[in-house]
Amino acid sequence: MDERSNRQALVSRILTFSCVDGPGNRLVLFLQGCNFNCITCHNPHTINHCNHCGDCIATCPTAALTMDERGKVLWHEAQCTNCDKCTDVCTHNANPRIKRYTVMEIRELVRMHRFFLSGVTVSGGEATTQLPFIIELFAALKSDPELKHLTCFIDSNGHLPQSAWEKVSHCLDGAMIDLKSWQNDTHRWLTGRDNHRVIPSIKYLARVGKLHEVRLLHIPGKSDLDTEVEPVAELLNSLPDTVQVKLNAFQHHGVVGEALDWEKCSEAEMNRFHQLLAARTGDRRLTLPRVYL
Amino acid sequence: MSECNSPFLNRVQEIITDANLSPRQKNLFLALTAEAELPYMPVSEAVKTVMEEGVLCDMFEGHAPFKPRYVLPDYARFLSQGSKHLELEPAKDFDDALNMLTIIYHHVPSVTNIPVYIGQLDDVLMPYIGDLSEDEIHQKLKHFWIMLDRTLPDAFMHANIGPEDNIICRTILRVDAELKQIAPNLTFMYDPAITPDDLLRQAASNICECSKPHIANYPMHAGSYGDRRFGIVSCYNSLPLAGGSNTLVRMNLRRAAAKAKDAKDFLDNVLPACSALMVELIDARSSYLHEQSNFFKGFLTTEGLIEESRFAPMFGIYGMAEAVTDLFEKQGTTVRYGYDEQARQLAHDISAKLAEIVDNSPVKYGLNGRAVLHAQGGISLDTDATPGVRIPYGTEPDPISYVQTTASQHQYYTSGISDILTIDETVKANPEAMYNLCKGALNAGYREFTANVASNDLVRVTGYMVKLSSIAKFAAEGSRTNTTWLGAEASKNTGILDRAPRVVSFESNPVYNPTYS
C-alpha cells in the first residue's frame, strides 16, 4: 500500500488493554457510526456522526466544546474531563468527541504497544462502515516486519455483504459476529435492519476459516434465540469446532429508552438459555458471561 | 487479679486477654511489647526528629534488633551437608529432603517469626527426585504445600521457582493453582533466553486462577546480585542468597518533600540530607544486630548457610506519587501522577537520585558496604502516602499505561519494587492476555510483574495473600492466618475494600492494635 496513505478513521475510543475482544490482549479501535439502531444498544452515542447542531456546547462545564466560524462543533481534548454531559444531551445518538486517525498514526500506536499485544481488533459502532480504512490498516500491519505477527480482528454485526468480506479476508485473521435474533421480523424490530446478511456472513466467514466467535444475545421475552433454539443450534453445529460461541446477557448498562423497562437477563435465565442450547450442540463449548451487572 | 497500673502492664494484659489472637500470635505481640520497653538504640537528635515527623520510619522492627529482618539460608547447601546442630545427615532422597526442609523452616527467623524465604525450590529439590514418577512428585509436593500453609500460615513466606523448565517447577505451579492457598507466596523467575513460552503461559494462567505467582525478571535481578545468588522474599524483596536484609528503614517521600522549597531543592538538598539521616539510623540498627545481639553466632552462620557479609540494609522509600504531586503544587502546577509526562519525569529523576545516593553512601554493615534501594509497599497504618512509586488507589490508568508510566523507575530499585496491576476478572476467560501483559511489562523493564485479578476470592492485600471472605469474617471470629489479621487492619485504615479491587503492599508486622478485638 501507499506509505503516505492519508485515509482516516473516525474513532470514538482506543483501548490498549482488552481481554474481551478476541484472543490475548488486544488494542481495540472503536469506530464511530453504526448501520443498526438497536433498541438495546449499550453505547447509543456511537451510532451516528455528529450533525453539528451545537446542543451539547452549552452543557460542557469546561468549555471543551466550541462552534467554529463554519458552524462545526469542535472538541478541545485538553479541556475535556470526560464527564459525558455532551453525549447525555445529544438527541442524535452521536458524540462530539471523535478523533480522526490516519492509518499510519494507528500503525505507530500499535508499534508502541506491540510487546503487550496478541493483536488488533476493530470494533464500533459498526466497524465495517469504515471498511476501506480497516483494509488499509490491516494491510499496513501485515506488511510491517515488526507487526506482522499481530492478528487482525473485526468485531461486527454481520451486516456486510459477502462481496465486501471478500475484499478484507486476505488480511483478516478473525471476525466476531453478533447474532441478535433468528426471525427476520424480530431482528428488524430489535435492530432496525433485516438479518438477511448476518447469517450468510457467519456461514461465509466460517467457510473461509475467518470466523473466530459468534455471540448470541439473549433478551428474555424479546429476542428469539431461545424460542428458535432448533435452527440456532443447527447453525452452530454447522460451524467448525474452532469457532467460539459466547452467550451475552442483556443488561441495562448504558441502555437508554424503552429497553430500560425490559427485564435484564439474570444468571438463572441465562442458565436456562444455555441448557436449551447445550442440549442440542454436543461438545461445543458455550461461554457464559462472567459478570452480571 | 490485681489492677494493672502501668501502660506496659495494661498492654500486656490487653494482649493476653484478646479474644481474637491465637496463643502464638499473643506470644509474638508480647515479645514485641517487651522489646519496646528497652531504650531505643542510640541515635542523634536529628534522627529522632525526622522519625517523629514521620519522614523516616523503622517499620516497627523494635528497639533492640536481635534477628535480621529477612534471612535467605542456602537450603541446597543444608540438604547436601546435613546439619550438626540439628543432628541431621545429608538428604538421601526426596522424602528426606522435604522432611529436612520442614525441620529447618522452624529455625529460620525473620521479622514476622516465620521464614520469609523457603528456597529456590526447584534448584533445591531437583537433585533428589531420583526415579520418582510425575504423579508421585505431585502427591508429595501437594502434601508439602498443605503442610506449609497450615503450620506456617503467613503469606510473607515465599517460595521461588524457575527460570528453567523442570518437573518441580511445573508441579509446583500445578499444585499452587489446585490448592489456591494463602501460603506460601510464590515467585516464578522468567528469563526470555531460557524459559519456554508455554511455561510462562502456565504461570500467567495461574495468576488468573489465584493472583500468584509473581513473575521476576531474572536477568535484571541476576545483573544486580549475580547468577543464582539471590532470592525473592516476603513481598517482592530481592535479596542476596545465603544472606538477606539486616534491617529496613523507609523514607516517606511526601513528608520529606514537605521540607523542600521546590523540586530542585528536594533533589539537591532535602533528599541528600534525609538520606544521610537514614544511613545513620540504618547503621545504628544494624550495628546493634551485628555487634550486640549475637545473632551471627548461631548455627545458620557457623554451618555456612548464611554469611554475615551478605546481609544488606534495605533503603526503602514510599509516597512517590504524593511527593511528586506536592512538589508541582509548590510551583503552582497541578499534575496527575500516572498521567502527566512531567510527573513521570520528576518521579524518574527522584528515583535516579535516590539510586545515586545509595550507591555513594557507605553503610557499616552492607552488601559490599552498601544498602540496597527498595520501593516499599506500605504498611497497614499508612494513611497519607501511596506505597512505593505506585499510582494512587482508584486513579490507576489501564494496566499498560500503568506499566509504561512506572517502568523506567524499576531499574533503580535493586531490592524490589512492588507495582501491582489490577486486572478485572474477565481475564480469567483469556489468560493469554495476562501472558501478553506480563511479557510486555518485563520487556518494558519491569523488575517484577505482579497482577491481582479483581474479585478473586484470593486477593492480594498489601502484597501478600488474604482471602476477601476471611477479612469479612475476621472481626467476628479471628483468623488462622497472621496476615489476614494484617489485611484486616490495612483494609480498615486504607479503605481498600471500598476501592477498585486493590492492594497495598506490606512488609511489616505492625504494632498491636486492640481495636481489632
Side-chain angles (χ1 to χ4, degrees):
Chain A
M1 62 167 286
D2 184 357
E3 271 294 301
R4 292 157 301 172
S5 168
N6 288 322
R7 192 179 290 280
Q8 290 183 326
L10 294 168
V11 178
S12 61
R13 198 160 177 213
I14 297 174
L15 293 181
T16 57
F17 182 78
S18 164
C19 33
V20 293
D21 293 283
N25 179 39
R26 311 193 71 78
L27 186 142
V28 188
L29 288 181
F30 294 91
L31 304 188
Q32 180 72 9
C34 186
N35 44 21
F36 280 8
N37 193 4
C38 299
I39 305 176
T40 57
C41 183
H42 293 283
N43 293 296
H45 60 275
T46 64
I47 295 175
N48 293 318
H49 295 285
C50 178
N51 63 359
H52 302 283
C53 70
D55 287 353
C56 55
I57 291 172
T59 67
C60 181
T62 55
L65 296 169
T66 57
M67 182 79 80
D68 75 2
E69 65 279 6
R70 292 173 306 152
K72 300 278 182 199
V73 174
L74 298 180
W75 173 53
H76 310 283
E77 192 179 3
Q79 275 113 278
C80 179
T81 59
N82 290 304
C83 69
D84 288 333
K85 288 205 168 77
C86 51
T87 47
D88 289 346
V89 300
C90 181
T91 54
H92 183 58
N93 284 341
N95 183 352
R97 296 168 294 165
I98 298 303
K99 288 180 82 166
R100 290 170 182 273
Y101 287 92
T102 65
V103 168
M104 291 306 128
E105 283 169 338
I106 297 295
R107 185 186 69 181
E108 292 318 300
L109 189 71
V110 172
R111 192 187 312 284
M112 222 172 91
H113 292 89
R114 67 189 186 280
F115 294 116
F116 294 90
L117 296 173
S118 279
V120 174
T121 296
V122 186
S123 183
E126 169 50 34
T128 60
T129 58
Q130 300 184 47
L131 192 66
F133 174 86
I134 298 177
I135 295 171
E136 284 194 22
L137 173 65
F138 286 180
L141 297 176
K142 294 292 181 195
S143 63
D144 190 300
E146 284 183 339
L147 308 176
K148 63 183 179 196
H149 65 287
L150 298 174
T151 55
C152 296
F153 275 59
I154 293 177
D155 181 323
S156 167
N157 60 22
H159 191 72
L160 192 69
Q162 180 176 327
S163 56
W165 284 118
E166 283 167 359
K167 286 184 188 142
V168 70
S169 71
H170 71 282
C171 53
L172 176 71
D173 294 295
M176 292 164 289
I177 307 293
D178 283 337
L179 179 59
K180 301 181 194 232
S181 274
W182 186 260
Q183 289 292 346
N184 192 42
D185 288 346
T186 316
H187 196 272
R188 178 184 277 281
W189 169 59
L190 282 172
T191 71
R193 291 273 193 168
D194 292 350
N195 67 359
H196 289 155
R197 285 184 191 157
V198 180
I199 294 163
S201 283
I202 291 172
K203 289 179 176 166
Y204 166 77
L205 289 163
R207 204 162 60 239
V208 297
K210 305 288 186 183
L211 185 63
H212 175 68
E213 184 173 280
V214 174
R215 286 123 172 214
L216 305 179
L217 175 66
H218 182 47
I219 315 170
K222 305 292 180 189
S223 60
D224 62 2
L225 299 177
D226 53 343
T227 52
E228 300 288 343
V229 66
E230 298 296 346
V232 172
E234 195 182 321
L235 172 68
L236 298 182
N237 290 334
S238 75
L239 304 176
D241 292 340
T242 50
V243 176
Q244 297 188 10
V245 178
K246 196 184 253 181
L247 310 187
N248 284 343
F250 168 64
Q251 306 282 286
H252 284 174
H253 178 76
V255 173
V256 295
E258 68 169 295
L260 272 181
D261 296 329
W262 295 1
E263 183 193 345
K264 286 194 283 193
C265 178
S266 66
E267 189 165 4
E269 174 60 21
M270 180 46 84
N271 288 337
R272 187 189 69 82
F273 177 48
H274 174 249
Q275 277 170 12
L276 283 176
L277 263 182
R280 292 162 177 81
T281 51
D283 292 336
R284 184 179 293 279
R285 212 173 130 245
L286 306 171
T287 307
L288 288 158
R290 285 231 159 238
V291 184
Y292 295 84
L293 297 170
Chain B
M1 194 167 124
S2 62
E3 280 292 298
C4 293
N5 52 9
S6 77
F8 171 71
L9 294 179
N10 272 330
R11 172 54 59 104
V12 166
Q13 189 172 27
E14 252 178 346
I15 293 170
I16 286 173
T17 56
D18 191 298
N20 285 337
L21 296 176
S22 70
R24 189 193 171 97
Q25 290 164 328
K26 289 178 182 181
N27 276 345
L28 175 63
F29 286 115
L30 288 170
L32 289 171
T33 306
E35 189 194 332
E37 283 299 292
L38 290 178
Y40 205 87
M41 70 222 79
V43 290
S44 69
E45 282 305 313
V47 168
K48 282 182 197 159
T49 307
V50 286
M51 287 180 77
E52 279 158 19
E53 290 170 348
V55 175
L56 297 190
C57 164
D58 68 0
M59 304 290 292
F60 305 98
E61 280 180 5
H63 291 190
F66 57 94
K67 57 195 173 178
R69 183 176 184 84
Y70 301 131
V71 180
L72 291 75
D74 185 342
Y75 293 112
R77 181 165 182 181
F78 163 69
L79 292 186
S80 69
Q81 70 184 22
S83 167
K84 279 208 177 69
H85 177 78
L86 295 173
E87 302 180 53
L88 292 168
E89 295 293 312
K92 292 180 198 64
D93 57 27
F94 201 70
D95 285 340
D96 213 13
L98 290 181
N99 191 44
M100 286 174 73
L101 289 175
T102 306
I103 291 167
I104 199 173
Y105 292 153
H106 291 272
H107 299 270
V108 178
S110 79
V111 69
T112 58
N113 276 358
I114 282 175
V116 293
Y117 179 67
I118 59 171
Q120 180 72 37
L121 288 180
D122 41 10
D123 282 0
V124 168
L125 290 172
M126 277 305 284
Y128 305 99
I129 58 170
D131 53 8
L132 289 175
S133 70
E134 204 176 317
D135 283 349
E136 287 167 323
I137 291 174
H138 175 252
Q139 200 55 37
K140 288 171 195 296
L141 283 175
K142 195 161 180 173
H143 288 149
F144 184 62
W145 229 236
I146 292 169
M147 179 280 296
L148 288 170
D149 181 65
R150 304 307 191 276
T151 63
L152 298 167
D154 190 310
F156 291 110
M157 178 177 66
H158 212 121
N160 293 187
I161 49 174
E164 281 91 4
D165 188 0
N166 59 58
I167 178 89
I168 299 289
C169 179
R170 284 201 185 251
T171 308
I172 285 177
L173 285 174
R174 186 178 147 200
V175 167
D176 206 48
E178 283 167 3
L179 295 175
K180 300 181 174 62
Q181 296 173 163
I182 291 172
N185 212 330
L186 185 65
T187 283
F188 172 81
M189 310 271 186
Y190 174 70
D191 183 344
I194 297 171
T195 314
D197 282 349
D198 74 312
L199 188 58
L200 182 63
R201 282 196 167 88
Q202 192 184 345
S205 149
N206 270 33
I207 299 174
C208 298
E209 290 289 318
C210 56
S211 291
K212 54 178 177 164
H214 316 268
I215 313 291
N217 189 331
Y218 184 84
M220 214 166 162
H221 291 288
S224 301
Y225 292 108
D227 203 24
R228 299 192 180 279
R229 295 298 284 160
F230 67 96
I232 310 291
V233 316
S234 190
C235 13
Y236 349 118
N237 308 310
S238 174
L239 291 165
L241 182 65
S245 164
N246 39 27
T247 186
L248 164 57
V249 176
R250 61 178 190 153
M251 187 191 299
N252 182 333
L253 294 178
R254 175 181 223 174
R255 300 267 173 97
K259 294 171 170 293
K261 287 200 299 282
D262 52 28
K264 187 173 186 314
D265 183 39
F266 184 66
L267 287 167
D268 294 348
N269 305 312
V270 175
L271 262 190
C274 290
S275 298
L277 296 172
M278 184 127 147
V279 168
E280 189 194 326
L281 181 56
I282 281 170
D283 279 346
R285 299 194 61 79
S286 53
S287 296
Y288 194 96
L289 174 74
H290 286 258
E291 293 166 11
Q292 309 218 28
S293 73
N294 290 313
F295 173 80
F296 291 102
K297 291 181 179 155
F299 85 98
L300 291 174
T301 314
T302 58
E303 295 189 5
L305 306 184
I306 57 174
E307 293 166 43
E308 190 172 358
S309 64
R310 293 185 59 75
F311 281 80
M314 292 167 73
F315 188 111
I317 59 96
Y318 68 114
M320 178 68 86
E322 290 79 10
V324 165
T325 312
D326 292 354
L327 286 169
F328 274 103
E329 190 80 40
K330 284 173 194 276
Q331 295 161 213
T333 312
T334 303
V335 295
R336 289 185 74 199
Y337 184 73
Y339 295 84
D340 297 337
E341 171 57 21
Q342 47 182 348
R344 191 199 67 77
Q345 186 61 50
L346 178 57
H348 179 100
D349 292 348
I350 293 171
S351 288
K353 180 71 183 183
L354 283 162
E356 181 197 315
I357 291 171
V358 170
D359 278 351
N360 293 316
S361 302
V363 295
K364 225 167 145 187
Y365 296 95
L367 184 68
N368 306 316
R370 294 292 182 276
V372 279
L373 185 60
H374 181 64
Q376 205 272 328
I379 63 174
S380 52
L381 302 169
D382 294 343
T383 50
D384 66 339
T386 299
V389 304
R390 282 187 218 160
I391 299 169
Y393 309 125
T395 69
E396 301 97 326
D398 71 87
I400 292 173
S401 305
Y402 192 117
V403 169
Q404 289 174 333
T405 301
T406 55
S408 77
Q409 297 188 63
H410 276 232
Q411 59 184 306
Y412 299 117
Y413 293 92
T414 306
S415 61
I417 171 166
S418 58
D419 269 314
I420 300 177
L421 303 170
T422 305
I423 317 294
D424 78 78
E425 69 172 327
T426 55
V427 76
K428 287 180 175 180
N430 186 1
E432 185 75 6
M434 185 67 83
Y435 168 83
N436 290 147
L437 183 59
C438 175
K439 269 204 129 169
L442 296 174
N443 186 279
Y446 254 42
R447 196 173 274 274
E448 272 116 24
F449 172 81
T450 295
N452 187 56
V453 177
S455 74
N456 263 358
D457 182 34
L458 266 180
V459 199
R460 202 169 284 119
V461 183
T462 79
Y464 53 86
M465 295 292 189
V466 177
K467 288 191 177 184
L468 264 185
S469 50
S470 302
I471 295 179
K473 272 193 226 157
F474 176 76
E477 296 172 15
S479 172
R480 186 172 58 76
T481 56
N482 283 336
T483 39
T484 304
W485 190 89
L486 303 174
E489 185 166 80
S491 60
K492 187 170 166 180
N493 276 359
T494 56
I496 42 180
L497 298 181
D498 306 334
R499 282 190 288 263
R502 200 52 229 177
V503 186
V504 255
S505 181
F506 204 167
E507 324 218 18
S508 151
N509 208 352
V511 288
Y512 172 66
N513 186 340
T515 60
Y516 278 98
S517 47

